[in-house]
């Protein structure tokens, strides 16, 4: 199963990817997670990426494309993948199709998780994350104890780019640079639109239905 999760920041891509990994036993690649790890490890790529991320802009295509290609070529992804946060530009989508072709693979479907802007702002500004990888929302999915991770007991944090100033910029970037991918994947028949405004478990049921029909 080779799947792309498309959707604005805050649409619930990471939340659904976590459920899909459990259900289908397919590995997940999040380019946002790759960059955040590189930033925290202070690698050369992380230092370059940080400047763009702090401004809410996209990291340049030539950096992102190389990283994803390298990942997808590893053995871990030989039986499938769920891509989250990539592609985000038409150039990235073209590069993905080309690289998969070189590997004798192709995408099976692109799930576009659709959520309106007002809800996206609420989801992003209320998101809290833990270093262990768990994601919460202070209203929609709060931790049992205030701002403490249920799984590991560490204090939760707000991502710097989830502050309202950067959120607005990231949403503009999504509508200008990533939205054209909806038509791109509609035109090549891969697009499946998912109503992302429902609860996380209802969204997942819809995804299961779409994947089930496909299978
Ligand atoms: P993305 O990976 O697309 O940026 P996330 O999966 O991190 O989005 O979700 C953004 C925020 O919204 C998180 O705080 C998450 O807990 C919350 N969230 C995700 N899906 C839903 C949903 N269906 N309803 C309400 N809140 C949600
Ligand atoms: P995300 O966690 O997906 O919201 O990504 C966080 C940030 O990482 C984005 O705002 C971008 O700066 C950067 N990023 C993640 N994926 C990509 C991508 N495919 N292309 C360019 N920049 C990306």
């Amino acid at each position: 199963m080779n799947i792309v999760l498309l959707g604005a920041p805050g649409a619930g891509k990471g939340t659904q990817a976590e459920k899909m990994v459990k259900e289908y036993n397919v590995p997940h690649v999040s380019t946002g997670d790759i960059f955040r790890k590189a930033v925290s490890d202070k690698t050369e790529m992380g230092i370059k990426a940080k400047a763009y991320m702090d401004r809410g802009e996209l990291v340049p295509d030539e950096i992102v494309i190389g990283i994803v290609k390298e990942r997808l070529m590893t053995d871990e992804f030989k039986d499938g993948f769920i891509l989250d946060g990539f592609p985000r530009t038409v150039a990235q989508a073209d590069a993905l199709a080309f690289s998969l072709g070189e590997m004798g693979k192709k995408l099976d479907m692109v799930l576009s998780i659709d959520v309106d802007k007002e809800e996206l702002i609420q989801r992003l500004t209320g998101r809290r994350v833990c270093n262990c990888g768990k994601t919460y929302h202070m209203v929609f999915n709060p931790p049992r104890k205030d701002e403490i991770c249920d799984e590991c007991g560490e204090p939760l944090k707000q991502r710097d780019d989830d502050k309202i100033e950067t959120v607005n910029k990231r949403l503009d970037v999504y509508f200008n640079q990533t939205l054209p991918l909806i038509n791109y994947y509609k035109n090549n028949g891969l697009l499946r639109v998912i109503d992302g405004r429902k609860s996380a478990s209802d969204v997942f049921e819809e995804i299961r239905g779409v994947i089930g029909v496909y299978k």
Side-chain angles (χ1 to χ4, degrees):
M1 175 192 295
N2 299 334
I3 290 187
V4 164
L5 286 179
L6 194 62
K13 301 180 296 298
T15 301
Q16 296 304 323
E18 191 185 329
K19 294 177 185 297
M20 292 167 74
V21 168
K22 279 198 197 125
E23 174 90 6
Y24 301 108
N25 200 22
V26 180
H28 163 219
V29 186
S30 153
T31 42
D33 286 349
I34 293 174
F35 286 130
R36 278 183 290 279
K37 168 97 173 49
V39 169
S40 101
D41 292 347
K42 298 193 168 61
T43 66
E44 199 181 315
M45 185 262 283
I47 291 164
K48 266 192 212 155
K50 186 174 187 307
Y52 296 96
M53 294 169 80
D54 285 349
R55 292 195 297 266
E57 294 171 6
L58 295 184
V59 176
D61 286 337
E62 57 274 21
I63 299 181
V64 193
I65 288 168
I67 291 167
V68 174
K69 187 174 173 189
E70 215 174 89
R71 281 285 161 110
L72 291 184
M73 276 164 46
T74 61
D75 236 26
E76 190 187 348
F77 301 103
K78 67 178 188 336
D79 295 328
F81 54 79
I82 298 163
L83 270 178
D84 155 9
F86 182 95
R88 259 173 151 108
T89 63
V90 169
Q92 291 179 17
D94 283 339
L96 176 64
F98 183 79
S99 298
L100 290 176
E102 279 185 324
M103 293 180 235
K105 298 180 182 180
K106 61 177 182 49
L107 286 180
D108 294 317
M109 67 176 85
V110 174
L111 300 176
S112 171
I113 306 180
D114 196 19
V115 175
D116 54 87
K117 189 171 173 185
E118 221 171 282
E119 173 81 12
L120 292 170
I121 292 174
Q122 277 194 40
R123 288 194 189 177
L124 289 167
T125 52
R127 175 161 61 186
R128 296 293 181 274
V129 295
C130 179
N131 279 337
C132 75
K134 284 292 289 179
T135 296
Y136 298 84
H137 189 282
M138 293 317 291
V139 178
F140 306 134
N141 177 28
R144 284 195 293 270
K145 227 172 131 194
D146 201 24
E147 306 258 347
I148 299 289
C149 180
D150 293 347
E151 303 270 313
C152 68
E154 292 293 316
L156 301 180
K157 290 185 301 197
Q158 183 175 37
R159 275 170 48 174
D160 284 341
D161 61 355
D162 280 346
K163 308 245 160 80
I164 187 66
E165 316 78 76
T166 323
V167 160
N168 283 323
K169 171 72 185 176
R170 287 164 66 209
L171 292 177
D172 283 349
V173 165
Y174 173 78
F175 290 113
N176 289 321
Q177 292 182 256
T178 309
L179 211 57
L181 290 183
I182 301 280
N183 269 333
Y184 180 104
Y185 286 122
K186 200 186 273 178
N187 291 339
N188 69 11
L190 291 176
L191 191 77
R192 307 285 182 275
V193 179
I194 305 291
D195 179 0
R197 294 165 305 173
K198 301 178 285 194
S199 71
S201 51
D202 285 352
V203 174
F204 185 57
E205 276 315 301
E206 188 174 336
I207 290 179
R208 267 170 33 120
V210 168
I211 291 178
V213 168
Y214 163 82
K215 270 175 149 181

